[in-house]
Amino acid sequence: MAVTLTEKAARHVSRYLTKRGRGLGVRLGVKTTGCSGMAYKLEYVDDLTEGDVTFENHGVKVMVDPKSLAYLDGTELDFVREGLNEGFKFNNPNERDRCGCGESFRI
């Protein structure tokens, strides 16, 4: 099982952690919500949580709770700019469908 970061995403996270002055990496998870059933959660991590599975790419750590890992296995986290917008993009091979607003997905 693996969750990866692209080089662009890793650079963005590294810059932000440096700017914050603290942090171990990012925590990626899923929560039940939205019209399709699930949504991604992404937050900066200052302390490890017991049970987290840790992956490292390009010098940046990604922590995933065991419950979310089944839904996120194989996911690549990217950072993209589209016009005036920028943000993280989740390339999850397990997604079967995404709601029209793009906020939630179904496995």
Side-chain angles (χ1 to χ4, degrees):
M1 294 195 145
V3 174
T4 59
L5 285 167
T6 65
E7 191 173 340
K8 284 172 62 176
R11 275 196 314 266
H12 181 77
V13 171
S14 290
R15 279 194 305 265
Y16 191 78
L17 291 174
T18 299
K19 194 166 131 178
R20 283 179 82 221
R22 68 182 192 282
L24 303 173
V26 291
R27 179 172 288 115
L28 177 60
V30 295
K31 62 182 177 179
T32 304
T33 189
C35 25
S36 290
M38 303 181 101
Y40 295 106
K41 297 186 304 184
L42 186 65
E43 61 189 8
Y44 290 94
V45 177
D46 293 325
D47 298 304
L48 290 176
T49 300
E50 188 176 328
D52 276 352
V53 179
T54 303
F55 303 96
E56 188 168 342
N57 298 104
H58 308 288
V60 174
K61 293 181 181 173
V62 179
M63 290 70 150
V64 180
D65 67 273
K67 186 175 156 186
S68 295
L69 189 55
Y71 303 107
L72 298 171
D73 184 32
T75 297
E76 177 189 66
L77 184 60
D78 196 5
F79 189 77
V80 297
R81 289 192 174 120
E82 296 173 353
L84 298 176
N85 299 317
E86 64 180 14
F88 288 102
K89 181 177 179 182
F90 304 93
N91 299 313
N92 185 344
N94 303 304
E95 274 189 31
R96 292 184 183 250
D97 193 22
R98 198 172 257 271
C99 72
C101 66
E103 292 297 317
S104 62
F105 66 97
R106 183 170 54 93
I107 298 287

